[in-house]
Structure formats: structure tokens, C-alpha cells
Amino acid sequence: MKTIATIIVPIAMALLIGACGNEQNNNNTPAPQPKDSIVSITKDNTPEAAPETPVTLNWKEIRNEHTDKLVTVEGYLRLPSFMYIGGNKLEIDLFERPNQKGGYRLICNIPTGSIDNTSSALGKQYTAADFKINTYNGETIRGEGAYVRITGRLDAYSKSHGTLREITKIEKGERKAISYQGMDVPEFSADKALAQDGKLVYVVGKLDPGIYLSTYNNAYSFTVNGPEMEKGESLVAFVNIGRGGSQVEDVKENYANKDIVIRDGTGEPFSVNDKVKVYGTFVKTNGKNGGILFVEFIVVQ
């Protein structure tokens, strides 16, 4: 909407001029005006609305919101397993916790480009290394796993996810330590698989790579040997590929188990033969009691 600026001459100023000898302004030059006498109004003479201030929400508060509200939220960016590419935007997942790939998320509609507050465009064939974010202050950072503060309009509430559109600001955030062992996390149980779907749980056992490692969404899959499962069912743990805590390094094509470098939550390597306590988000699959555990934190027992 176009705006015009109207200059208001206060009555007090006119009286002041008159009190100073009624001096004439012979050249019709307007007298200097106070700075706050300039008022911005719209074309229909109504005051222009003040800019909307975003509300900072934590993840618990986000789950209870379903209004068209401008918000700021912090979280970890993750490439989804399937992504819409088109319309000069990417639909990127934002999660509450590091390494998280399951459970509640925000789908962020991030514009693509090379200017501030955009993401690098991705083609039909891409890797996690191709995903980069241009922050509000001109810094370009790796997008996969980045901890950021995003401001946008919250929309499309559901129990599984929300949507953040009209994104106006992306900032690099400071990671916060999460104490998985200090949280009240239940142990995974096959007979509670339906109730624990999408929830943070833990299991105790060994991460078995099997005959070969398969990859999915920038993670390697391991079978968890430990929890009791129904015959023919198994719990598959996906460990993110990387060199950080609770991640596994990328392996060469021809490898042995001794070549697998997997780290616990503190970043220390351990053997696949070690017994571990694994925290992650459980996602039930079509099997009766089987499912997937998206690994977030590993503790060697």
C-alpha cells in the first residue's frame, strides 16, 4: 500500500512564532519542524499498522499452537527422506534435538537463492553436503544438522508436524546441551509399539551391522540385538553418518566390522561388539511389532 507523509504544524509552534514579534516569512519557506511531527498515514487516512513482532516459542508451546502467528523457534535442520523441490523453495525439516529424524517436526518452507535468509537450490541428485543455508548476516553454513533460529509464520498444526512459511530470518544458533539420561525416557517394549510410535525411547543391546550396511537418508542401519521382539520381527536403528557424537563415520565399499567407526554421545569410538544404551525416536513400521529407531544418543554400558 502506498503511503504519504503529512507534516503537522503544532499550534504551540504557531503561538511561539507570534510571541516573538510576529515576524513575517516573506519567502514562504516552511519553518523547521520537530522530528516527531511527521506522521505516516495510509491513503485512507488511517494510521499504518506497526510491524508485527515475532513471538519466541519453545517446542512444547509450538505443539499447542495452531494459529497464523509470526514466531521464532530454535532447532536442528534436517533434509527429509523425500522433499518437494520447486517454486523457488525447499521444504526442510526442523527438529528439537540433535540427530533427531523422527517424531514431531516443523516443515520449513525456505526460499532458494544466494541472498540472505535463503537455502542453496538442490537438483534432483544431491547429497547432504550440497545443502547450505545463507543466514541473515551473510554467512553461509552447512545446512544438514545446523542449529538455527528461524522466524516465520506458523501454520498447519497437527499432532505430527507444523509448517513454518513466510520465513523472514534465519540465524545461526548456539547449541544447547541435552541430558538424555536426565530425562524421563521410557524403555522400548515391543508390546507397546503402537503407543510409543513417534516417541523418544531407549533400548539396551548391541548394534549389529549384519552382512552389509544399508543407507537411508544419510544414515546407516543396524539391527538392535537386545530387546525382546516377536518372531520374525526386528528393531532397526538408523545412526546418522558423520564424525560427531552418536554418529558413524562413512565406510569404504569393502570393509570389515573393525573398520566401522561409531561414536558414543561424548564422541568416543566404541566397538560394535560393545553393549550400549541407545536413545532415539521410535517409528512403527507395517510389521506387527517391528519398527525403526532413529538414534539420537548412545551410552556405552
Side-chain angles (χ1 to χ4, degrees):
M1 177 181 294
K2 293 183 178 179
T3 61
I4 60 175
T6 300
I7 300 178
I8 301 175
V9 181
I11 295 176
M13 181 63 76
L15 293 176
L16 180 61
I17 294 174
C20 295
N22 295 320
E23 295 180 358
Q24 298 292 324
N25 188 347
N26 295 325
N27 59 3
N28 294 321
T29 301
Q33 303 301 318
K35 185 177 181 181
D36 59 358
S37 68
I38 300 178
V39 178
S40 179
I41 63 174
T42 60
K43 192 173 184 179
D44 58 1
N45 293 324
T46 59
E48 191 174 59
E52 187 176 358
T53 301
V55 178
T56 300
L57 299 179
N58 60 40
W59 283 85
K60 183 177 180 180
E61 292 168 334
I62 289 172
R63 289 177 174 83
N64 296 322
E65 283 289 347
H66 52 87
T67 56
D68 192 34
K69 180 180 292 186
L70 187 66
V71 303
T72 297
V73 59
E74 297 186 7
Y76 295 85
L77 292 173
R78 291 290 176 193
L79 288 171
S81 53
F82 299 97
M83 180 171 56
Y84 168 81
I85 298 178
N88 297 321
K89 69 175 182 179
L90 298 178
E91 293 185 344
I92 305 297
D93 289 338
L94 187 73
F95 287 101
E96 178 181 7
R97 301 182 299 274
N99 288 324
Q100 185 181 357
K101 286 186 177 179
Y104 190 85
R105 71 192 191 282
L106 285 179
I107 301 174
C108 301
N109 294 321
I110 301 180
T112 57
S114 57
I115 61 175
D116 296 351
N117 303 309
T118 62
S119 169
S120 56
L122 298 176
K124 293 182 179 180
Q125 300 291 331
Y126 63 87
T127 66
D130 299 320
F131 175 35
K132 299 191 183 330
I133 290 292
N134 304 304
T135 65
Y136 83 105
N137 61 353
E139 182 182 7
T140 299
I141 62 174
R142 176 183 171 90
E144 179 68 9
Y147 188 70
V148 295
R149 286 171 52 87
I150 298 186
T151 299
R153 196 162 297 280
L154 189 62
D155 195 9
Y157 167 83
S158 74
K159 290 185 178 180
S160 63
H161 71 273
T163 300
L164 207 61
R165 55 183 175 81
E166 298 177 21
I167 290 174
T168 58
K169 191 174 185 180
I170 306 176
E171 308 169 69
K172 185 178 180 180
E174 294 187 11
R175 295 172 181 258
K176 298 176 176 62
I178 296 179
S179 176
Y180 284 85
Q181 294 170 289
M183 291 189 288
D184 185 18
V185 180
E187 184 174 9
F188 169 76
S189 176
D191 58 3
K192 297 180 181 178
L194 187 60
Q196 293 180 331
D197 186 24
K199 304 293 181 59
L200 180 64
V201 300
Y202 77 85
V203 296
V204 176
K206 295 182 180 181
L207 298 176
D208 182 5
I211 300 175
Y212 62 91
L213 284 171
S214 61
T215 60
Y216 171 78
N217 195 16
N218 199 42
Y220 283 124
S221 66
F222 295 79
T223 300
V224 183
N225 293 332
E228 294 184 6
M229 306 293 293
E230 292 290 336
K231 185 177 180 180
E233 299 293 344
S234 61
L235 181 62
V236 178
F238 281 98
V239 183
N240 288 333
I241 299 174
R243 294 176 177 269
S246 302
Q247 295 182 343
V248 57
E249 292 187 16
D250 206 358
V251 298
K252 56 187 178 181
E253 186 173 350
N254 297 312
Y255 69 93
N257 282 359
K258 63 180 179 63
D259 300 319
I260 299 175
V261 180
I262 186 168
R263 302 178 188 274
D264 65 11
T266 67
E268 288 297 318
F270 65 90
S271 169
V272 292
N273 295 316
D274 290 338
K275 186 177 180 180
V276 291
K277 185 176 184 179
V278 181
Y279 294 85
T281 303
F282 171 72
V283 176
K284 191 179 185 306
T285 56
N286 293 329
K288 181 179 179 182
N289 289 313
I292 294 173
L293 186 70
F294 290 102
V295 175
E296 299 181 23
F297 194 78
I298 303 173
V299 181
V300 178
Q301 299 291 280

